[in-house]
Amino acid sequence: MPTGQVIKTYNGFYYVLEDGRELTQNPELLSCRLRGRIKRIKGSVVTGDKVEYELLGDGTGVIEKRLPRKTLLLRPSVANIDQVIITFAVKEPDINSLLLNRFLVLAEWSDIPEIVICFNKTDLMTEATENFVKPYVDAGYKVIFASAHEKKGIEEIKDLLKGKVTAFAGPSGVGKSSLLNAIDSNLSLTTGVISEKIKRGKHTTRAACLLPVTGGGIVVDTPGFSAAELEHLDKNLLAMYFPEFRPHIEKCYYNTCTHSHEPDCGIKNALSEGIISQERYDAYLNILQSILERKKAY
C-alpha cells in the first residue's frame, strides 16, 4: 500500500505528498479522505502525519492507517516536528504572559525536542519588555528577538531551521506569517493587521501546512490560538514541565507535594531565594488550579 505524509488538512480533506516526491513550494498533492474507522477517532490524523492510503479511480485517495509518530504537538495539532518556535509580539498585541507559560508547558508535555521563544516586533520593545524576558532565559529557553519589519533576527532563525521540521506557533497578529515571509520571500504567506478595537490579530493562516524553506528546513505555519487547554495534565507531573523547577522538586519534604501550600517545599524555597521567578510560579499555580477544578467537575 502506498505511503506519504499529510502536508496540510482543510475542511475534512487531507492533502498527502507521496513518498519519494520532493516537497516544493507548489507540490503535487493527493486529496484524501479518512477511512470511517479512523475518522471516528478525534485527532487520528493531523498535518505532518505519515500515512498509508489507497488510491481511488477518481484520482483521490482514502487514508487507511496512520504510521507511528515521532512527536505530536496538540495545539496547534501537528505531528513529527523537531522543534517549535513559540512566537509572541512584544506589543500590538501585548504579551499575554499566562498564555505564553501555558503554551510552554504544553510544548514540554508534548516532548518536543527543541523549544524556542521568539519575541517579534522588537522595534516596539521597551525596557519593561526586556525585564519580562529574563525568567525565560533563566529557565534555559533559547530566546530570539526579531523584527520582520526591520529584518532583525532573521538570519538567526534561518540557522535554526536548517535540517529540521519547525512549527511556528503563537496568537493571531504576532507576525508569524510576516516572519516566515522575511525568512523566505518565496513563501508569500498572507499577513493581516491588528484590530484597533480588540487589539488582537485576525486569523490569516487557516490551516497548518508544511512548507519548504529556501536554504534548508521545513516550516509549519499554523493558525493563531487564544488558549492552551492543560486540564488533562497530571497535577503530580506539572512541575516537571517547568525546567527551572526540576532541580528543586527532590528537595521537597513530601513526595506528593503540589508546591502550593505544603511546608518545607523545595520549589517555594527556591522562589523565596529568587532562584525561581514569581511570574513563572504564579503561572504554575494558575495551571494547577485549572487541573484541580477539572478533576472536581468529574
Side-chain angles (χ1 to χ4, degrees):
M1 187 170 289
T3 59
Q5 184 173 27
V6 178
I7 302 304
K8 67 177 179 178
T9 63
Y10 190 66
N11 282 349
F13 286 93
Y14 298 77
Y15 297 91
V16 175
L17 181 70
E18 181 185 350
D19 280 350
R21 291 183 180 272
E22 183 182 359
L23 180 60
T24 61
Q25 295 291 346
N26 294 293
E28 184 178 337
L29 301 177
L30 177 68
S31 174
C32 294
R33 292 279 196 175
L34 296 182
R35 182 66 72 191
R37 64 179 180 277
I38 303 175
K39 191 175 182 179
R40 287 191 287 271
I41 305 171
K42 185 178 179 181
S44 57
V45 177
V46 301
T47 296
D49 270 325
K50 305 290 181 67
V51 296
E52 290 182 352
Y53 59 90
E54 178 186 358
L55 281 171
L56 301 179
D58 62 0
T60 65
V62 177
I63 292 174
E64 299 283 353
K65 181 181 179 181
R66 186 198 75 220
L67 300 178
R69 289 165 170 160
K70 181 172 62 176
T71 57
L72 173 66
L73 184 64
L74 281 185
R75 186 175 178 90
S77 294
V78 57
N80 297 314
I81 63 172
D82 301 305
Q83 66 181 348
V84 58
I85 297 182
I86 300 172
T87 309
F88 277 71
V90 298
K91 286 191 81 66
E92 298 181 7
D94 292 339
I95 298 172
N96 182 328
S97 62
L98 180 57
L99 183 58
L100 171 57
N101 280 295
R102 290 176 73 89
F103 198 80
L104 286 169
V105 168
L106 184 59
E108 293 281 357
W109 176 84
S110 300
D111 203 24
I112 306 302
E114 298 289 339
I115 302 171
V116 179
I117 304 172
C118 176
F119 290 107
N120 191 25
K121 305 184 184 181
T122 51
D123 46 302
L124 305 175
M125 183 179 284
T126 64
E127 185 177 342
T129 308
E130 294 178 10
N131 294 333
F132 170 85
V133 169
K134 187 177 184 301
Y136 303 97
V137 176
D138 292 344
Y141 290 111
K142 181 173 183 59
V143 176
I144 296 176
F145 297 100
S147 170
H149 176 66
E150 295 183 342
K151 301 296 190 291
K152 178 181 177 182
I154 301 305
E155 292 303 318
E156 187 177 1
I157 297 173
K158 281 183 180 180
D159 288 340
L160 287 178
L161 301 182
K162 292 176 180 177
K164 294 181 179 179
V165 179
T166 305
F168 280 73
S172 301
V174 300
K176 299 186 299 296
S177 297
S178 295
L179 274 176
L180 288 169
N181 285 338
I183 290 166
D184 186 350
S185 59
N186 292 323
L187 295 176
S188 301
L189 300 174
T190 303
T191 59
V193 296
I194 300 298
S195 165
E196 287 299 320
K197 184 177 181 180
I198 61 175
K199 299 300 181 183
R200 288 208 305 264
K202 297 178 181 179
H203 294 285
T204 54
T205 301
R206 300 294 180 182
C209 180
L210 272 63
L211 304 163
V213 176
T214 302
I218 295 172
V219 297
V220 190
D221 187 24
T222 64
F225 58 86
S226 58
E229 302 300 328
L230 301 172
E231 287 70 23
H232 60 283
L233 300 188
D234 184 336
K235 66 180 177 64
N236 296 315
L237 297 177
L238 177 60
M240 291 296 295
Y241 305 133
F242 287 75
E244 72 272 41
F245 287 18
R246 293 170 192 158
H248 308 287
I249 294 174
E250 61 185 24
K251 299 173 186 177
C252 294
Y253 181 79
Y254 297 100
N255 290 334
T256 57
C257 186
T258 63
H259 323 296
S260 57
H261 62 278
E262 299 89 345
D264 201 6
C265 167
I267 288 176
K268 289 199 296 181
N269 290 339
L271 175 68
S272 64
E273 294 169 13
I275 299 172
I276 290 173
S277 80
Q278 187 67 51
E279 178 208 329
R280 290 275 287 166
Y281 180 70
D282 288 345
Y284 167 83
L285 291 181
N286 180 283
I287 298 167
L288 177 65
Q289 186 61 34
S290 67
I291 294 172
L292 295 175
E293 288 176 357
R294 171 92 174 187
K295 188 175 181 181
K296 286 179 183 178
Y298 289 90

